[in-house]
Amino acid sequence: MPAKINTNLNFGEDSIDPFDESDENLWVKIEHLGRYLFAADYLRQFKLGCIADIACGMGYGICELEKVTDLVVGVDGDAEILKQAIQQCHNSQTQIIQHDLEKPGLLADKLVTNIDAIVSFETLEHLINPTRALEQFAQLLSPGGFLICSVPNVLYEPRDHAGLPTNSDHKQFFNYQSLSRLLEQHGLRVNYRVGQAWSNILFKRETQLLRNRSISQRLGEYSGLGLPEIIRHLSYLIAYPTVEDVDGSYSLIIVGQKIK
């Protein structure tokens, strides 16, 4: 059944669909899906009533979150992407909202009164003012509510000749200290720090082997590896976040909790 949609403001960034078989960026796809698999598995135990997926993109993560809660609220700024996201929803109660995170008023229409968890992956680095976003997240969360978020690790962010992020959509560099400090400043305690080191290591190893001409193509270029069941399997096997070797991960992933 279709989800409810409410348009508000504008926030559009680059997006990815892990189940797009024409996209050969295997490592990127399984990392994106792996983060949502982890978030759903972690939050399942708490039997939460409402989870917000902020910067939900095409909505593939919403499908995972719908399995562990009664209500999912998906938020993004790109109207065209949200049209795709709404097609991913299986719960008629799911709400899809368009909003610019650089502006105040996130969920100001009060469609939802209590949010038990916020999931927001690869979002804060896109914002000129990530502090405003964290402030809104903290205000929306119920006491004891969870924030699971990720940002690129500054150790692996390419820079241009001026020292700025090569990806022009990225406006911030983060390390673990700066990200955790931002959460703590808004009343959120860091419970866990996890990462996806295995996929990052294998991607770099594959790149090295290509340069050495030991292999002729990337794993993602082989036919059949883009099938949804294979992507899901590899996401669990290789790109599922763990507490092992987190400094080797391209993304810093934090599980925070609002202090009661």
Side-chain angles (χ1 to χ4, degrees):
M1 299 177 68
K4 301 174 183 176
I5 183 166
N6 171 55
T7 59
N8 193 347
L9 294 169
N10 180 29
F11 176 70
E13 302 295 350
D14 38 354
S15 188
I16 190 170
D17 178 4
F19 301 114
D20 179 1
E21 294 186 39
S22 67
D23 186 347
E24 297 174 347
N25 293 304
L26 176 67
W27 307 107
V28 177
K29 294 197 297 183
I30 65 173
E31 283 197 347
H32 277 64
L33 181 58
R35 290 191 280 268
Y36 276 105
L37 296 175
F38 167 80
D41 287 346
Y42 179 79
L43 295 173
R44 179 181 286 108
Q45 63 187 306
F46 302 106
K47 304 185 186 309
L48 305 178
C50 177
I51 299 174
D53 182 6
I54 298 180
C56 65
M58 296 182 179
Y60 60 89
I62 290 175
C63 300
E64 302 301 328
L65 299 175
E66 284 179 332
K67 299 173 185 177
V68 302
T69 188
D70 298 327
L71 173 63
V72 175
V73 180
V75 180
D76 205 284
D78 190 312
E80 292 304 311
I81 285 179
L82 287 179
K83 289 178 183 177
Q84 299 179 58
I86 202 169
Q87 300 302 317
Q88 302 268 13
C89 304
H90 301 297
N91 186 341
S92 62
Q93 299 305 307
T94 297
Q95 297 173 2
I96 302 295
I97 297 171
Q98 187 179 353
H99 181 78
D100 183 346
L101 286 178
E102 295 284 16
K103 299 178 181 179
L106 178 60
L107 302 186
D109 45 26
K110 301 193 184 300
L111 285 174
V112 180
T113 55
N114 295 301
I115 294 180
D116 302 306
I118 290 174
V119 174
S120 191
F121 292 133
E122 310 300 282
T123 305
L124 299 175
E125 71 275 10
H126 291 281
L127 303 176
I128 294 293
N129 188 0
T131 298
R132 186 199 303 274
L134 260 296
E135 184 177 62
Q136 294 184 85
F137 293 177
Q139 289 173 348
L140 289 169
L141 280 173
S142 301
F146 297 96
L147 170 64
I148 304 180
C149 65
S150 73
V151 294
N153 187 338
V154 66
L155 294 175
Y156 303 108
E157 274 269 61
R159 305 181 187 221
D160 65 15
H161 65 280
L164 299 173
T166 301
N167 185 337
S168 60
D169 287 329
H170 291 187
K171 310 303 180 185
Q172 307 284 334
F173 285 130
F174 285 99
N175 57 29
Y176 170 69
Q177 287 74 23
S178 62
L179 179 59
S180 59
R181 183 168 57 248
L182 193 59
L183 267 67
E184 290 165 356
Q185 288 172 350
H186 292 89
L188 297 163
R189 179 181 64 242
V190 175
N191 287 350
Y192 295 101
R193 176 190 175 197
V194 296
Q196 298 165 296
W198 295 349
S199 51
N200 192 32
I201 290 168
L202 289 173
F203 167 75
K204 290 189 292 183
R205 175 61 174 159
E206 183 183 64
T207 301
Q208 180 183 21
L209 290 170
L210 281 168
R211 287 173 181 165
N212 295 341
R213 298 185 178 179
S214 300
I215 57 176
S216 59
Q217 63 187 56
R218 291 193 178 276
L219 190 61
E221 296 173 3
Y222 286 95
S223 60
L225 283 179
L227 294 174
E229 59 269 27
I230 300 296
I231 293 297
R232 191 175 182 85
H233 185 101
L234 291 175
S235 296
Y236 269 118
L237 184 65
I238 299 172
Y240 192 87
T242 75
V243 294
E244 300 173 64
D245 191 20
V246 291
D247 288 324
S249 174
Y250 170 77
S251 288
L252 299 170
I253 306 164
I254 281 182
V255 178
Q257 187 172 17
K258 184 173 179 178
I259 301 171
K260 297 181 180 180

